[in-house]
Amino acid sequence: MVQTLAAAGELQRDLQRELTYDGLRAAEAKGSKGGRRPAVAAAKTETVRSSYLQGRSIAALARDHGVSRGAIRTAVAGLLPDHTAIEEQVPAPELPVTLDMPGKVADFLRTTELEPAERAALGQGATVRRGQGYTLRVPAVHRGLLARCQPLDGVQGAPAVPAQRKARREYENRVSALILTGP
C-alpha cells in the first residue's frame, strides 16, 4: 500500500513538472521573460550607462538612484570589462580604468617632464588615503608613466631610495595586472 502511494506521488510530481515546463515554454514563445523586474527602470538605464562611461563609480550611481550596487552592475553589464561583445563586428567600448598609483611615484612624476596628455591625466587624478596613493582613470597613460618612473630604480651615480623603488615595482605590478586583464 505504501509503494502504491509513493508511485502515485511520483506520477503527480512528474505531471506537475511537465505542466510547469510547458507553461514556461509557452510564455517564452509569447516573448515574456521570467524573473524579477530590474531595479533600474528601462527609462533610467541609458542615463546610468552614460554616467558610468563618463567615469561615475558604481557606488555613486547606486546612491544617486536609490538602488543597490548589484542593480547598477546589472544595468551596465554590457559595459563591464569582463563582458564580451555578442556580435563580432561590434567592438567593446574602451572604459576608464581606475588604477591606484603609489604616492611616491605620483610625487616623482609631478617633478619630471611629461607629455601634455600625461600631465593632464596626472592632473585629473585624485589623492587617496591621506597622500599614500593616487588614483588615475586613463588607461592608455599608465604605460607611459611607468616608463618615466625608471629612474626610481636608481641611475648611475645616484643610489635608489628603497621606498621609491618599492613604490615603482608596486605600480609596475598594477599596470601589468591591468595589461593582463585588459580594459
Side-chain angles (χ1 to χ4, degrees):
M1 187 167 149
V2 173
Q3 285 182 332
T4 306
L5 288 176
E10 277 186 50
L11 179 65
Q12 181 182 2
R13 188 180 39 185
D14 290 342
L15 183 61
Q16 191 174 16
R17 183 181 301 141
E18 188 178 321
L19 290 173
T20 301
Y21 286 138
D22 286 345
L24 288 173
R25 278 186 245 128
E28 187 178 330
K30 286 195 300 187
S32 175
K33 84 176 193 186
R36 190 173 180 181
R37 288 190 179 140
V40 178
K44 291 184 182 180
T45 301
E46 283 306 313
T47 305
V48 169
R49 291 171 68 93
S50 64
S51 297
Y52 180 75
L53 285 173
Q54 291 173 358
R56 295 286 312 269
S57 71
I58 289 176
L61 289 169
R63 280 192 302 274
D64 292 348
H65 294 282
V67 296
S68 69
R69 290 180 299 212
I72 298 296
R73 279 190 203 95
T74 301
V76 298
L79 304 176
L80 294 175
D82 60 311
H83 178 77
T84 57
I86 294 173
E87 297 180 23
E88 293 294 324
Q89 295 85 10
V90 179
E94 183 168 319
L95 300 173
V97 176
T98 301
L99 182 68
D100 289 339
M101 175 188 297
K104 293 196 181 301
V105 173
D107 293 341
F108 172 78
L109 288 172
R110 284 190 195 109
T111 62
T112 60
E113 283 288 321
L114 297 175
E115 297 290 326
E118 294 172 336
R119 178 74 55 201
L122 196 60
Q124 291 175 358
T127 304
V128 295
R129 289 180 289 194
R130 289 178 259 137
Q132 296 177 9
Y134 198 75
T135 298
L136 257 126
R137 291 185 61 87
V138 183
V141 176
H142 289 293
R143 292 176 195 95
L145 291 177
L146 180 62
R148 295 189 184 274
C149 294
Q150 292 301 326
L152 290 177
D153 276 340
V155 291
Q156 296 264 346
V161 176
Q164 290 177 336
R165 185 172 50 216
K166 179 181 177 186
R168 195 206 63 77
R169 277 196 318 255
E170 178 63 30
Y171 183 50
E172 182 177 22
N173 292 341
R174 292 175 185 173
V175 171
S176 296
L178 175 69
I179 292 169
L180 291 176
T181 59

